[in-house]
């Protein structure tokens, strides 16, 4: 029986802390593991204690080089995808991800899909020495997500809403 609570740990490529928070396992399907994070969840962001003000649902795909955060209003991003290394699970209760800086975001009001933090990716690629295969995978994931967030591909169209309703 899987644990109800999953610790989500994002680090940067050099191993430094990025984000760390508990999430409730909502479901597991062919897309991956759906995790719910209610408002008021205590977290750590860039090594500093924080509290999530707005709930969200996180999709951790089985083999993808990304995670998807699905947000309710008033957050201006409806969908926010971090480009990451594929998830590494430590049993059922902890998932480890390496944040690779690039983000693909769909804006709520306009539906515009944008690639963010290309400058940070380039800087950290040089600083941390991202291997060429990591760069290729990260850039390919970003390109695929730019299309998927804009064309109605699931889970980015509507299927996430049933999970988001459980934490709002």
């Amino acid at each position: 029986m899987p644990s109800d609570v999953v610790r989500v740990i994002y680090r940067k490529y050099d191993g430094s802390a990025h984000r760390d928070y508990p999430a409730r396992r909502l479901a597991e399907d062919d897309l991956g593991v759906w995790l719910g994070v209610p408002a008021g969840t205590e977290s750590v962001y860039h090594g500093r204690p924080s509290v999530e003000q707005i709930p969200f649902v996180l999709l951790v795909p089985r083999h993808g080089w990304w995670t998807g955060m699905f947000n309710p209003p008033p957050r201006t991003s409806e969908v926010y995808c971090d480009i990451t290394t594929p998830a590494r699970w430590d049993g059922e209760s902890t998932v480890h991800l390496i944040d690779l800086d690039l983000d693909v975001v769909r804006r709520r009001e306009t539906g515009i899909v944008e690639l963010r933090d290309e400058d940070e990716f380039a800087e950290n690629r040089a600083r941390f020495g991202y291997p060429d295969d990591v760069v290729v995978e990260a850039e390919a994931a970003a390109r695929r997500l730019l299309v998927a967030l804009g064309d109605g591909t699931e889970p980015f169209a509507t299927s996430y809403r049933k999970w988001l309703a459980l934490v709002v």
Side-chain angles (χ1 to χ4, degrees), residues 100-135:
L100 295 172
D101 317 308
L102 294 172
D103 304 304
V104 180
V105 180
R106 183 171 68 215
R107 295 289 165 204
R108 180 175 313 287
E109 293 297 319
T110 62
I112 291 174
V113 178
E114 58 190 15
L115 178 61
R116 301 188 58 198
D117 297 331
E118 291 173 282
D119 53 343
E120 183 183 352
F121 179 72
E123 178 183 312
N124 285 342
R125 177 183 181 183
R127 184 169 154 206
F128 301 140
Y130 294 172
D132 290 342
D133 61 326
V134 168
V135 171

Side-chain angles (χ1 to χ4, degrees), residues 16-93:
S16 62
H18 183 52
R19 290 172 39 207
D20 188 332
Y21 54 86
R24 185 167 50 99
R25 181 185 303 270
L26 302 174
E28 191 166 346
D29 60 21
D30 59 330
L31 298 167
V33 179
W34 293 91
L35 303 170
V37 180
T41 298
E42 293 183 10
S43 62
V44 176
Y45 187 66
H46 292 292
R48 295 185 177 158
S50 182
V51 175
E52 298 298 330
Q53 300 299 310
I54 300 172
F56 62 92
V57 168
L58 183 74
L59 173 60
V60 180
R62 294 189 195 301
H63 306 291
W65 283 71
W66 56 275
T67 58
M69 188 168 72
F70 301 88
N71 305 302
R75 194 162 271 153
T76 58
S77 60
E78 179 181 13
V79 181
Y80 195 105
C81 293
D82 285 297
I83 303 301
T84 68
T85 57
R88 182 178 59 79
W89 287 88
D90 185 5
E92 296 282 334
S93 62

Side-chain angles (χ1 to χ4, degrees), residues 132-147:
D132 290 342
D133 61 326
V134 168
V135 171
V136 166
E137 293 290 350
E139 290 175 338
R143 283 191 304 274
R144 285 190 299 273
L145 288 168
L146 279 166
V147 172

